[in-house]
Amino acid sequence: MELTIEHLSKRYSNGVQALDDVSLIIPTGMFGLLGPNGAGKSTLMRILATLLESDSGTATLGQVDVLKQKDEVRKRLGYLPQEFGVYPKVSAYEMLSHIALLKGITVGRKELVHALLQRVNLYDHRRKSLSSFSGGMKQRFGIAQALIGDPQLIIVDEPTAGLDPGERNRFYNLLSEIGENVIVILSTHIVEDVKELCPNMAVIDKGKLLYSGSPENALSALNGKIWSRFIQKSEVENFTNNYRVISTRMVSGRPLIHVFSESDPGNGFSAADVDLEDVFFSKIAGLN
Ligand code: ADP
């Protein structure tokens, strides 16, 4: 099964063109939708989750018209929104059971809820109030509710923002266990999320699709074109003016710059091992 998006556009009433003619095919497995803040990721996720109307375009999940057959989509959808809202003072068990009921599950609900709590490693915390959960526990609870009803399409919007490294790792492990026969769209501005989890990805910025394909293909397209060197802090502006700088990051307190160049720029630069950050920043800068 595939999710096929064609010519999707959305402009908010304040004039912001949040999506601009986006066409994208999303296969089963983990798919990373990578873009900086404000790129249009949540807008796209909310349209696919039937929570927002697009202005034009189509989206098809298998045989289902995502934009028109909203009830059919909702039956097949698991959604973990960016803001899960308030976490009430009810237990994890009660809340999951309630959501399962809303999703129409009446028979075997208790067993299902117990199995889900075990799967996301919250079974021992099932009687605790959601409001007492840590960020990582809340995100794992979010996945548990998204898995109710065996969805074919799972959308997780910025799931690792705000998690500490340990929580992030546990969350990665959980996501990677969801299975290969469902479509999981992971919307994120964190390159590491995609690097760790996704065999396919897209990069969007300012509502436009800038890349779609495998991380490997994007990496090999940049091979031999990324150069790096350490510079002085006072030299940052000078280098920015004279090279196509794609990133400047501090490494042990010193600026390490990566520049894009078809040939060896000399001047102390050496060939860099291309990583997904280079892909991300060079796509956003329109360099490749
Ligand atoms: P992302 O999820 O990649 O951070 P969003 O889809 O949230 O991006 O936002 C895309 C653009 O649309 C941004 O410029 C944002 O400010 C704008 N935007 C988002 N929601 C609304 C809204 N409800 N009304 C007006 N503008 C919005």
Side-chain angles (χ1 to χ4, degrees), residues 12 14 16 18 36-43:
Y12 287 107
N14 62 357
V16 173
N37 286 328
K41 303 180 299 294
S42 287
T43 301

Side-chain angles (χ1 to χ4, degrees), residues 226-229 264 266 268-272:
I226 304 297
W227 308 82
S228 71
R229 64 162 283 188
D264 188 345
F269 279 99
S270 55

Side-chain angles (χ1 to χ4, degrees), residues 168-184:
R168 182 171 295 187
N169 260 332
R170 280 191 289 278
F171 193 74
Y172 285 161
N173 289 337
L174 174 61
L175 276 184
S176 66
E177 282 166 14
I178 287 179
E180 284 153 12
N181 298 323
V182 289
I183 299 172
V184 183

Side-chain angles (χ1 to χ4, degrees), residues 37-196:
N37 286 328
K41 303 180 299 294
S42 287
T43 301
L44 179 57
M45 298 303 94
R46 293 179 63 224
I47 291 170
L48 296 176
T50 76
L51 300 171
L52 184 68
E53 298 280 340
S54 68
D55 298 334
S56 54
T58 59
T60 321
L61 175 66
Q63 303 296 313
V64 176
D65 182 331
V66 174
L67 306 183
K68 296 203 174 100
Q69 296 171 274
K70 292 186 181 167
D71 287 341
E72 292 302 312
V73 179
R74 287 170 191 160
K75 278 184 212 158
R76 294 167 171 79
L77 173 75
Y79 180 48
L80 175 55
Q82 197 169 351
E83 292 290 330
F84 198 55
V86 257
Y87 285 82
K89 286 200 167 67
V90 297
S91 73
Y93 174 85
E94 281 173 278
M95 188 67 181
L96 265 192
S97 181
H98 178 67
I99 297 171
L101 190 62
L102 291 179
K103 284 200 179 179
I105 291 158
T106 47
V107 181
R109 200 162 79 244
K110 185 173 177 187
E111 292 70 23
L112 171 75
V113 170
H114 278 175
L116 283 169
L117 286 166
Q118 253 146 7
R119 192 158 168 199
V120 302
N121 215 359
L122 288 174
Y123 186 77
D124 292 344
H125 304 284
R126 69 190 179 283
R127 293 196 188 90
K128 287 190 189 145
S129 159
L130 286 173
S131 57
S132 73
F133 276 13
S134 71
M137 289 162 79
K138 283 176 180 166
Q139 287 303 63
R140 282 183 282 137
F141 176 83
I143 285 294
Q145 64 79 29
L147 288 173
I148 295 172
D150 281 329
Q152 294 169 308
L153 171 63
I154 297 175
I155 293 175
V156 286
D157 201 352
E158 301 275 2
T160 66
L163 299 190
D164 69 35
E167 289 175 330
R168 182 171 295 187
N169 260 332
R170 280 191 289 278
F171 193 74
Y172 285 161
N173 289 337
L174 174 61
L175 276 184
S176 66
E177 282 166 14
I178 287 179
E180 284 153 12
N181 298 323
V182 289
I183 299 172
V184 183
I185 308 177
L186 180 70
S187 153
T188 183
H189 67 274
I190 298 167
V191 175
E192 192 197 343
D193 290 351
V194 176
K195 190 155 72 184
E196 296 273 328

